[in-house]
């Protein structure tokens, strides 16, 4: 295996200390609708119901000598960091916008227990981010980016690594959601080494096309406005490290989906699949 494949393999092995591999399941409903063989990697079955746990665990494990971990997040990254703080018995300070839904705040506190402190700061995420970084510098903590960090990207690669192992072959087509690019950049790096024949499509919400903007400009640029309905992918600016791995992709492979279609698809999957 090549370098990144080896890193992903080692990260995947370390991940088993925290939780078992999430299943890769053939979805009969979607396969029948689209006359294709469609498999879903069930990251909703991780302990925090998203893949963000992987990047947090990989990055924090490599910085185990740090006493305090700091992050800014309105949801999945916060919960992943909180879960790992409790597992590693490390103090975590998690900054969240004051507009964060109470359910997400409660889950973050639940996952972190006594090891995590939640700070509600700022009406907008940019304000929250600035406050978290200032605090991190003040206390000498380690800041955990939700996506733009090589160790986080390496951790997210374990999703694709597990998928290849579970499928037992290279998929014809790989469809990956895009926010800041942590998952998609890791997938591209790993698939380019292990399954270069696989065609990759990158999907982002129409109200947050940060990858499409970066591909067009040749570098990450900030969107003037972002629709926050798809909050896990509502990123105004793609990461520098993530775009370095995505630069040069075919613009025709970057797809955007309107928020109303995403909404109806969620309802369809809920009603059909439960």
């Amino acid at each position: 295996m090549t370098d990144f494949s080896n890193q992903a393999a080692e990260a995947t092995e370390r991940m088993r200390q925290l939780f078992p591999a999430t299943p890769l399941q053939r979805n009969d409903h979607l396969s029948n609708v689209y006359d294709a063989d469609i498999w879903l990697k069930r990251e909703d079955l991780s302990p925090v119901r998203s893949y963000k746990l992987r990047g947090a665990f990989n990055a924090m494990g490599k910085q185990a000598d740090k006493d305090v971990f700091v992050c800014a997040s309105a949801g999945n990254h916060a919960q992943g960091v909180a879960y790992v703080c409790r597992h590693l018995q490390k103090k975590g300070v998690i900054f969240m916008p004051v507009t964060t839904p109470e359910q997400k705040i409660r889950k973050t506190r639940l996952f972190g227990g006594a090891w995590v402190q939640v700070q509600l700061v700022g009406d907008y995420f940019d304000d929250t981010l600035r406050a978290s970084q200032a605090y991190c510098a003040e206390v000498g903590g380690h800041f955990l980016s939700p996506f733009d960090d090589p160790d986080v990207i390496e951790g997210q690669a374990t999703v694709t690594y597990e998928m290849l192992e579970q499928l037992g072959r290279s998929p014809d087509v790989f469809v990956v959601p895009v926010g800041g690019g942590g998952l998609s950049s890791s997938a591209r790096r790993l698939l380019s080494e292990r399954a270069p024949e696989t065609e990759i499509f990158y999907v982002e919400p129409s109200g947050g096309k940060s990858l499409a903007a970066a591909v067009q400009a040749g570098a990450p640029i900030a969107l003037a406005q972002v629709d926050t309905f798809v909050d896990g992918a509502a990123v105004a600016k793609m990461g520098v490290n993530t775009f370095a791995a995505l630069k040069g992709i075919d613009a025709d492979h970057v797809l955007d989906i309107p928020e109303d279609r995403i909404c109806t698809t969620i309802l369809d999957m809920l009603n059909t699949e439960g």
Side-chain angles (χ1 to χ4, degrees):
M1 289 191 293
T2 50
D3 287 347
F4 192 69
S5 295
N6 281 324
Q7 293 168 22
E10 291 167 2
T12 302
E13 186 176 347
R14 289 193 297 272
M15 212 62 61
R16 298 293 80 87
Q17 302 169 32
L18 197 63
F19 65 101
T22 58
L24 178 72
Q25 298 175 344
R26 186 183 190 277
N27 189 276
D28 292 337
H29 167 60
L30 293 176
S31 296
N32 289 334
V33 169
Y34 297 105
D35 191 24
D37 192 27
I38 297 178
W39 296 70
L40 302 180
K41 189 76 167 92
R42 296 292 304 277
E43 289 303 287
D44 58 307
L45 296 178
S46 84
V48 301
R49 300 191 303 178
S50 92
Y51 67 86
K52 291 288 189 177
L53 177 63
R54 298 170 180 269
F57 179 64
N58 195 64
M60 292 169 71
K62 291 190 172 189
Q63 300 288 337
D65 59 326
K66 301 294 182 182
D67 294 323
V68 182
F69 291 95
V70 181
C71 78
S73 169
N76 291 338
H77 181 54
Q79 292 173 41
V81 170
Y83 192 95
V84 179
C85 281
R86 188 179 68 183
H87 175 77
L88 296 178
Q89 298 190 340
K90 292 285 185 177
K91 179 182 177 182
V93 182
I94 296 173
F95 285 72
M96 307 180 87
V98 297
T99 53
T100 303
E102 183 61 31
Q103 181 261 355
K104 292 187 175 182
I105 298 170
R106 283 201 308 269
K107 292 292 283 188
T108 301
R109 287 175 170 152
L110 174 68
F111 287 136
W115 295 97
V116 166
Q117 177 186 354
V118 175
Q119 298 272 15
L120 300 177
V121 179
D123 290 324
Y124 300 99
F125 181 74
D126 286 349
D127 299 330
T128 309
L129 179 63
R130 280 192 291 270
S132 68
Q133 290 173 329
Y135 173 83
C136 189
E138 182 183 323
V139 301
H142 181 75
F143 187 77
L144 289 160
S145 168
F147 49 82
D148 202 23
D149 178 302
D151 292 330
V152 170
I153 294 169
E154 182 183 275
Q156 313 306 31
T158 62
V159 175
T160 309
Y161 188 88
E162 286 178 10
M163 179 207 71
L164 290 172
E165 295 293 299
Q166 292 164 324
L167 192 61
R169 57 179 172 80
S170 300
D172 298 318
V173 175
F174 183 87
V175 182
V176 61
V178 183
L183 181 65
S184 53
S185 63
S186 72
R188 188 194 187 205
R189 289 185 66 185
L190 189 60
L191 289 171
S192 66
E193 293 181 1
R194 293 198 58 193
E197 66 279 16
T198 296
E199 198 171 12
I200 308 174
F201 286 91
Y202 308 86
V203 183
E204 49 191 355
S206 296
K209 299 188 289 185
S210 60
L211 176 57
V215 169
Q216 184 175 7
I221 60 171
L223 302 176
Q225 189 174 353
V226 175
D227 187 316
T228 59
F229 174 72
V230 190
D231 56 354
V235 175
K237 186 178 182 180
M238 165 131 306
V240 173
N241 290 302
T242 55
F243 186 65
L246 293 168
K247 192 172 184 178
I249 62 174
D250 187 343
D252 291 340
H253 281 216
V254 182
L255 312 177
D256 67 280
I257 310 298
E259 276 70 12
D260 58 354
R261 185 176 173 192
I262 294 171
C263 184
T264 56
T265 302
I266 291 172
L267 291 173
D268 177 56
M269 291 301 288
L270 177 64
N271 293 328
T272 305
E273 301 290 317

